[in-house]
Amino acid sequence: MGVFRKVEVLTDYTRKGTFQEESERRKIVISIYFPDTDGLLNNDETEIKYMELFHPCELQARAILQDIGMNMDIIDGLSTSISEGALQRKSKRSYPVIIYSPALGLDRDMYIYNIQSLVKREFIVVTVSAAYEAMFTVFPSGEFMNQSEVMRTIQATDYTELHHLISIRKKDIQYVLDYLSNLNSKAEDMMGIFDMDKVGIVGHSIGGATALDLTMEVDRIKAAVLLDASMHIYIENEVKNNTVPLLVLRQKASTLEALSNILQEKIAKDFIKGQEKLFQNWNGYKSFLKIRKATHMSFSDMPLFEEDETLYQRTCGIHNQINELVANFFQEHLLNQGNAYSTLISHKYSDFCVINGSGEEIL
């Protein structure tokens, strides 16, 4: 099944810019990915290459990716199942919606491995930019927004500033949810396409912390997936009563001992405190899993850009596992269709395992 992408630029006129470079009202760039269930894409001639996701600013994006050590030969060879353009459809059916919030510094669309998988399961995925926070943000007009200077001085232990970034993202996503509801009723080409009674959210790292906050605060979100979320900034937060189904996917370093090898001691301890707090106090359905071979960035496309063939294949295997878990979770707990997720995690697998709040494997 093919995938359409439509890029939109939203302006929240009720909010002033929050970064020093942001002189105008808050701008939010979103990508709306929707499935070609009508079979309008009957060949691959319109499918874009990975770097074309950053059109018309491929050269600027390329320079930044190359500067941080990405292998441009690998990126240039990556294809997608995505076709750009306005929505085309014959039927008038509605689709469940998944909101996607990226990790600190990453572009909203650097999760194509998972986005395509969800869309091919007949979800609409809407990725939300983190303007001035991401390493770059591309506007369809050709405007290229660089990362704010202030982002280069933020420390992982600066919890106050990290909470501020989360508050900005939360307002962005709430604005996007309102925008999608308005499109549903007013835009002829989008009329009724979004099933706003079936909205899920996926967030990676600080995007996962944002997703958790929104799930506790916004009634429209009915299921949530946290991809190695930044749990260390939740030690002082109240975990509010919630019955929303929650999937927490963690990297291989899920215990205090393992995290202490890769993080500062304070962050590692706070991370486990936040994780335990969430595990103990979440009232709704919850599932905590560890992806055995995953690192923090394995939940994004980034490892595909910097590895040799052997490691590339390993990353693809990790991505396939994440895709199956996330899609089956939403099928069962957002759409109430079948028990594929429950069946999947009830068996022992070499690729992932069930963990408790301390990150230890449950035998």
Side-chain angles (χ1 to χ4, degrees), residues 178-193:
D178 290 339
Y179 175 75
L180 296 179
S181 295
N182 289 333
L183 278 183
N184 244 10
S185 59
K186 296 180 180 178
E188 184 176 348
D189 59 342
M190 294 285 191
M191 193 75 71
I193 193 171

Side-chain angles (χ1 to χ4, degrees), residues 52-227:
E52 291 179 278
L53 291 168
F54 311 121
H55 178 79
C57 299
E58 291 98 321
L59 291 179
Q60 296 99 312
R62 173 182 292 277
I64 291 176
L65 291 172
Q66 193 165 16
D67 188 56
I68 63 173
M70 300 296 100
N71 188 321
M72 299 312 299
D73 289 336
I74 293 177
I75 298 180
D76 288 339
L78 291 179
S79 299
T80 72
S81 301
I82 299 164
S83 296
E84 296 279 16
L87 172 64
Q88 305 173 53
R89 58 175 175 154
K90 299 175 184 176
S91 63
K92 294 296 184 181
R93 59 172 292 190
S94 297
Y95 298 89
V97 177
I98 307 297
I99 301 294
Y100 225 105
S101 185
L104 187 72
L106 292 194
D107 176 77
R108 69 190 184 280
D109 292 339
M110 287 181 171
Y111 298 84
I112 292 301
Y113 82 94
N114 191 228
I115 293 168
Q116 291 183 147
S117 172
L118 288 169
V119 175
K120 290 180 179 181
R121 292 278 196 115
E122 300 190 10
F123 293 92
I124 288 179
V125 177
V126 181
T127 62
V128 183
S129 64
Y132 292 104
E133 181 195 312
M135 67 176 87
F136 59 78
T137 302
V138 174
F139 287 73
S141 64
E143 180 183 356
F144 189 82
M145 186 180 291
N146 286 293
Q147 188 177 53
S148 172
E149 287 291 332
V150 72
M151 292 302 302
R152 299 169 194 179
T153 62
I154 291 178
Q155 301 296 314
T157 52
D158 190 347
Y159 294 0
T160 299
E161 190 59 38
L162 292 175
H163 278 296
H164 176 60
L165 294 178
I166 289 172
S167 71
I168 295 171
R169 285 178 177 237
K170 285 162 55 179
K171 291 175 183 176
D172 288 349
I173 292 174
Q174 288 172 309
Y175 189 86
V176 170
L177 288 171
D178 290 339
Y179 175 75
L180 296 179
S181 295
N182 289 333
L183 278 183
N184 244 10
S185 59
K186 296 180 180 178
E188 184 176 348
D189 59 342
M190 294 285 191
M191 193 75 71
I193 193 171
F194 307 107
D195 187 343
M196 299 306 291
D197 292 325
K198 293 183 174 66
V199 176
I201 191 167
V202 178
H204 178 210
S205 194
I206 196 172
T210 304
L212 178 58
D213 252 14
L214 284 167
T215 301
M216 292 189 289
E217 297 171 7
V218 179
D219 291 339
R220 284 184 288 196
I221 296 175
K222 307 300 184 184
V225 174
L226 313 185
L227 304 177

